[in-house]
Amino acid sequence: MKLTFVGADHEVTGSCHFLEAAGKKILIDCGMEQGRNDFDNIPIPVSIPEIDYVLVTHAHIDHSGLIPMLEARGFSGQIFATRATCDLCEIMLLDSAHIQEFEAEWRNRKGKRLGRDPFVPLYTAEDATRVLTRFVPCEYKTWIDLSEGIRIRFTDVGHLLGSSAIEVEVTEGGRTEKIVFSGDIGNYDQPLLLDPEAVDSADYLLIESTYGDRSHDVRADYVSELAPVMQRTFDRGGNLVIPSFAVGRTQEMLYFIRQIKEQKLIEGHDGFQVFVDSPLAIRATTIYNAHKYDCFDEEARELVARGINPIAFPGLETAITADDSKAINFNHSPKVIISASGMCEAGRIKHHLKHNLWRPESTILFVGYQAEGTLGRLLQNGIEEVSLFGEKIAVKAEIATLPGISGHADREGLLEWASHIRNKPKKVFVVHGDKDVVDGFASLLSATFGWDTMAPYSGTVYDLAANVCEYEAPPRLPETGRKAADGSGKTASRPMADDNAGKATVFGHLIKAASRLMSLVRTCEGRPNKDLKRFCREITDLCDRWE
């Protein structure tokens, strides 16, 4: 009975844990790394065809996004998830596959002219379609016999439609151990979804710590915060552009806008239109509506009982085709445009930014976390000019942020969820947090509950039967490894082969050059604005050329 930590260890994304128990090999989540990569992950420590089961906590790509890769490499087992997670994975994994194929086609078009070897996508739409047939929909709060000696149960943790903590109860050698995987724990008092439900016992606990170092502000009245932004934007004759994650955040925004329309909080702009310009978001909204009875909270279900759709209203328009999307920007009436991606890194939102960033009458409203280095973060930080589709765009629009929206529990929420575990676990593992957060939250859990905690790095192996750490892996910096042979895009911990040594040395020089540039940037604070603007333009031009 062993647990190997593969992904989201001292990092937030790329969730993946490998459990060997009762003669079975099980993955809990198989997610894609997103954003900054602080540490290398080991490859999945077993041949892919040997994996018997995959258990999925929820559908976000950083927890599910590499599941089609398993199919492409010979996986033939079953995948267990809640019904809503199965439904969301159907649209999200196919969407991810199309992105993989598009990127490969783009790279190969460029690379062919340079004589480069073909770039192979992580997986294709065919892989995603096949793997979807392996999903087994499960009900909340129901024990499921996975195999002899193993049973599982899903508990709603209110992070996303269908999200869950997973209890895995293993009986082996005459003893039974319960391992609990928290998944991502949701925020309390969020719209639409139920509050996180606690798990009452655990012999071993893996708990996320995304916001384990901070407290959310007092929950804002989102309707009263959003309505004035809409009012002043419409009064100026502008558009309110909302970069929004297609699944979860878009549906929350529709919930708030429906209330604003119902309460007639916008004056002088009756019947204003709201465009959802994201095929994925449109399909996700349909799935939300299909699960209103099993996943919505009491307030939302009361609306349903009165014949009111909590996320629909007069004036709501959807843009499915590319022509539908383009037509939005030829509609000159003040309106709301909700489009993906949430951090402005890809998708249709970039076209809407191109048409609105230069307009002082428009507003760009951020309603979710913007990671360091993304276009969304640059706009939040006050950048005055951006490059979109090879064109320089002046930033003249109002840049605003709606505070307080988070799908993750904060430090107090995580402690509240953990406090319901009545027994003292033998070991608690803190995962899914930035490198500076996991250790601190592990110490906080230890101080608060007296628990024995650790924050493992990828590659750590823990013997659950003996309650001992078989191997405590050290941190692996990204430039010290090589890409995993399984094609996961993660970086392996094994030493590089000799034929890669030269490439590694040159890449190391590149990393040093980038560090030197960053050091130079930090010395520029206080210099004249005209010098800073010129330096910024030169760096941006350099990035544009290499992209």
Side-chain angles (χ1 to χ4, degrees):
M1 196 186 304
K2 293 182 181 179
L3 182 65
T4 302
F5 295 85
V6 179
D9 306 308
H10 281 78
E11 293 180 308
V12 173
T13 67
S15 177
C16 189
H17 313 292
F18 177 60
L19 177 65
E20 298 172 274
K24 299 298 181 181
K25 297 177 173 62
I26 305 169
L27 285 184
I28 296 85
D29 286 342
C30 190
M32 190 177 290
E33 288 189 275
Q34 298 176 301
R36 187 180 65 195
N37 181 38
D38 289 322
F39 301 104
D40 288 353
N41 291 344
I42 64 166
I44 294 169
V46 67
S47 172
I48 301 302
E50 294 182 56
I51 298 170
D52 296 293
Y53 305 107
V54 179
L55 313 181
V56 186
T57 60
H58 65 286
H60 276 149
I61 290 298
D62 66 317
H63 288 253
S64 71
L66 290 182
I67 290 175
M69 182 208 73
L70 301 178
E71 178 75 23
R73 284 153 179 76
F75 172 69
S76 60
Q78 292 177 297
I79 303 167
F80 290 80
T82 65
R83 290 189 178 277
T85 295
C86 291
D87 290 343
L88 286 176
C89 278
E90 181 174 355
I91 63 172
M92 295 178 75
L93 295 183
L94 284 171
D95 183 72
S96 178
H98 289 308
I99 292 172
Q100 301 295 326
E101 291 180 324
F102 178 82
E103 181 182 3
E105 189 276 332
W106 181 85
R107 287 194 183 198
N108 287 330
R109 191 170 65 247
K110 300 284 186 182
K112 190 174 182 179
R113 294 194 288 266
L114 297 171
R116 293 175 179 168
D117 292 335
F119 178 84
V120 180
L122 283 176
Y123 51 84
T124 65
E126 183 180 353
D127 296 322
T129 300
R130 285 201 311 269
V131 84
L132 289 169
T133 66
R134 304 190 185 283
F135 276 77
V136 179
C138 304
E139 305 295 339
Y140 282 125
K141 303 180 183 179
T142 301
W143 282 106
I144 299 159
D145 291 322
L146 201 64
S147 65
E148 186 175 353
I150 304 176
R151 64 176 190 158
I152 62 173
R153 182 167 65 176
F154 295 85
T155 299
D156 192 347
V157 287
H159 169 67
L160 178 73
L161 192 82
S163 63
S164 60
I166 303 177
E167 299 167 80
V168 182
E169 195 174 86
V170 178
T171 301
E172 184 180 273
R175 60 188 298 171
T176 299
E177 305 283 359
K178 185 200 281 190
I179 308 104
V180 176
F181 301 84
S182 78
D184 285 347
I185 299 169
N187 207 352
Y188 290 79
D189 298 321
Q190 289 294 95
L192 289 176
L193 299 182
L194 292 162
D195 283 347
E197 186 175 351
V199 173
D200 62 4
S201 66
D203 295 306
Y204 293 97
L205 170 65
L206 284 78
I207 185 169
E208 68 118 326
S209 59
T210 305
Y211 288 111
D213 66 336
R214 71 196 77 173
S215 300
H216 295 322
D217 294 332
V218 175
R219 185 181 186 274
D221 180 348
Y222 300 126
V223 169
S224 64
E225 294 272 357
L226 177 58
V229 179
M230 296 172 65
Q231 184 73 59
R232 65 176 179 262
T233 302
F234 292 169
D235 288 347
R236 294 193 301 252
N239 297 322
L240 177 62
V241 179
I242 304 177
S244 181
F245 299 104
V247 182
R249 193 52 40 81
T250 291
Q251 292 72 37
E252 290 175 352
M253 297 311 299
L254 295 179
Y255 184 84
F256 299 141
I257 294 172
R258 181 198 61 79
Q259 290 179 273
I260 288 171
K261 278 182 167 277
E262 182 183 71
Q263 298 172 27
K264 302 185 186 307
L265 298 180
I266 305 299
E267 298 179 356
H269 305 281
D270 293 341
F272 67 87
Q273 291 176 292
V274 177
F275 290 87
V276 176
D277 186 17
S278 165
L280 181 61
I282 294 164
R283 293 193 294 270
T285 301
T286 300
I287 291 172
Y288 265 67
N289 282 321
H291 288 276
K292 53 183 175 284
Y293 294 111
D294 56 323
C295 293
F296 279 10
D297 63 14
E298 183 177 352
E299 183 178 354
R301 286 202 301 268
E302 285 179 0
L303 291 171
V304 172
R306 289 162 45 200
I308 299 172
N309 187 332
I311 50 179
F313 44 79
L316 177 60
E317 308 284 348
T318 56
I320 298 175
T321 68
D323 287 340
D324 293 339
S325 179
K326 292 174 184 176
I328 295 172
N329 290 303
F330 292 98
N331 175 337
H332 300 296
S333 301
K335 55 193 168 293
V336 178
I337 303 170
I338 303 174
S339 187
S341 70
M343 296 187 192
C344 307
E345 285 295 281
R348 296 182 178 184
I349 187 62
K350 297 182 80 170
H351 292 276
H352 296 302
L353 292 175
K354 178 180 177 180
H355 284 274
N356 286 277
L357 274 175
W358 56 272
R359 300 180 61 198
E361 60 269 30
S362 289
T363 299
I364 314 301
L365 177 65
F366 291 101
V367 296
Y369 176 73
Q370 303 300 303
E372 192 69 42
T374 61
L375 177 57
R377 175 64 73 89
L378 292 173
L379 290 170
Q380 278 189 326
N381 288 346
I383 192 170
E384 297 180 353
E385 182 181 86
V386 299
S387 178
L388 292 170
F389 308 106
E391 182 180 346
K392 302 294 184 184
I393 307 292
V395 180
K396 300 295 184 182
E398 177 186 350
I399 307 297
T401 299
L402 190 63
I405 289 184
S406 175
H408 285 269
D410 61 2
R411 177 177 54 215
E412 286 71 30
L414 292 171
L415 291 174
E416 166 64 21
W417 188 86
S419 70
H420 291 273
I421 296 177
R422 296 193 300 267
N423 66 307
K424 182 177 180 179
K426 297 177 181 179
K427 194 77 172 182
V428 175
F429 307 97
V430 179
V431 294
H432 297 292
D434 280 333
K435 57 185 178 181
D436 298 326
V437 176
V438 286
D439 294 311
F441 190 65
S443 297
L444 179 62
L445 288 173
S446 181
T448 304
F449 302 116
W451 289 350
D452 183 5
T453 63
M454 73 177 294
Y457 286 95
S458 178
T460 294
V461 180
Y462 203 90
D463 187 327
L464 303 176
N467 190 23
V468 295
C469 187
E470 184 176 293
Y471 173 67
E472 185 169 359
R476 297 167 172 83
L477 298 179
E479 63 268 27
T480 64
R482 67 179 177 88
K483 290 297 179 184
D486 65 3
S488 68
K490 300 179 179 181
T491 309
S493 60
R494 299 188 299 273
M496 279 178 286
D498 292 341
D499 60 352
N500 285 331
K503 293 179 183 178
T505 301
V506 174
F507 185 70
H509 292 326
L510 178 61
I511 294 294
K512 289 179 180 178
S515 298
R516 179 184 175 190
L517 174 62
M518 197 62 228
S519 297
L520 179 59
V521 168
R522 291 193 181 97
T523 68
C524 289
E525 187 173 7
R527 290 193 182 186
N529 283 342
K530 64 177 183 178
D531 291 344
L532 297 179
K533 289 179 180 179
R534 186 182 69 181
F535 194 11
C536 185
R537 281 196 302 270
E538 290 175 358
I539 295 174
T540 301
D541 290 342
L542 177 65
C543 292
D544 287 344
R545 286 201 302 275
W546 278 90
E547 286 176 347

